[in-house]
Amino acid sequence: MLNKKLKNHHIILASGSPRRQAFFKSLGLDFEIRLIPIKEEYPDRLTHFEISNYLAQLKALPFKDELKDHDILITSDTIVWHNNKALGKPKDEDEAFTILHSLSDNTHEVITSVCFTSKDYDKTLHNITKVTFKELTDEEIRYYIKTCKPYDKAGAYGIQEWIGEIGVTKIEGSYFNVMGLPVHLVYKTLNEIAEL
């Protein structure tokens, strides 16, 4: 349905995330994956969704000069916000353990920002989901890290994986946002772009 509306556009998804790619496929969209690696660093003064907005926009910058008339570039970034700081991807097993231990028996926020860029359109939006974990045992945390190796995930976990199944007791907001894409907002925004 959406693909037909966007038939005169060329969608570029600048993400190596298999989860985000799967969401775009499930929306029935034709899209190209194009990757230009960047250093994901942000100014210290930024907090909360300002961080994910900044990083999503930063990921779009290297593409700006090569966008053609009907291209729509989509970049995004997800962070976990807990105790007034952003939790990114863990570097190793110890850091993953520390992060998950801090999320145990607590509520945190997962923030995903999505940036839509074309030659004459620029929009960044974000979505926030609150996630509550039960009290996780050290044994559960270590088992999850060993079996799932969550080093490519902000906050050191994937909600769709074992730890989400056994550990998450409450979600307020979009489940898919926690997986890395607020699909409902992407769908809405692409519909708006199609009608421009």
Side-chain angles (χ1 to χ4, degrees):
M1 190 167 76
L2 184 55
N3 207 37
K4 196 182 279 185
K5 287 184 183 176
L6 290 164
K7 66 180 186 295
N8 295 324
H9 294 83
H10 175 232
I11 295 172
I12 302 161
L13 176 63
S15 175
S17 161
R19 294 167 298 283
R20 288 184 186 132
Q21 292 169 16
F23 284 137
F24 271 70
K25 284 177 188 153
S26 70
L27 285 172
L29 293 169
D30 293 328
F31 62 96
E32 174 197 350
I33 295 161
R34 210 184 286 175
L35 302 173
I36 301 177
I38 59 141
K39 225 175 181 182
E40 294 187 28
E41 293 176 343
Y42 56 88
D44 291 340
R45 62 183 161 75
L46 299 181
T47 67
H48 208 238
F49 69 82
E50 293 171 344
I51 296 169
S52 50
N53 277 6
Y54 178 89
L55 291 172
Q57 291 163 2
L58 190 68
K59 290 174 182 178
L61 277 180
F63 294 90
K64 287 217 168 176
D65 292 338
E66 57 183 58
L67 290 179
K68 297 187 171 64
D69 284 344
H70 300 292
D71 289 345
I72 304 169
L73 173 73
I74 298 169
T75 53
S76 65
D77 191 78
T78 299
I79 64 163
V80 168
W81 185 258
H82 185 52
N83 289 336
N84 287 318
K85 64 178 181 183
L87 303 176
K89 298 167 186 170
K91 290 189 271 296
D92 54 33
E93 194 174 324
D94 287 343
E95 192 178 357
F97 182 87
T98 303
I99 290 171
L100 288 169
H101 198 267
S102 78
L103 299 181
S104 170
D105 199 22
N106 258 307
T107 299
H108 61 274
E109 292 182 325
V110 179
I111 310 168
T112 300
S113 295
V114 186
C115 181
F116 299 82
T117 309
S118 69
K119 273 192 154 182
D120 48 15
Y121 185 90
D122 208 324
K123 181 175 186 174
T124 304
L125 50 86
H126 71 273
N127 194 246
I128 300 170
T129 306
K130 288 185 177 180
V131 180
T132 303
F133 270 107
K134 77 175 184 86
E135 191 170 351
L136 299 163
T137 67
D138 289 1
E139 187 185 17
E140 286 168 341
I141 294 172
R142 292 197 191 284
Y143 171 80
Y144 171 67
I145 295 167
K146 283 222 172 347
T147 54
C148 292
K149 301 186 175 14
Y151 305 117
D152 65 332
K153 295 177 178 72
Y157 79 93
I159 196 168
Q160 72 279 14
E161 295 175 341
W162 182 81
I163 202 143
E165 292 166 2
I166 65 102
V168 172
T169 57
K170 188 179 179 186
I171 299 175
E172 293 174 69
S174 165
Y175 172 83
F176 300 112
N177 187 55
V178 185
M179 284 179 68
L181 198 74
V183 184
H184 63 294
L185 289 181
V186 171
Y187 177 78
K188 179 174 179 273
T189 307
L190 285 173
N191 268 294
E192 288 167 4
I193 292 171
E195 285 162 19
L196 287 176

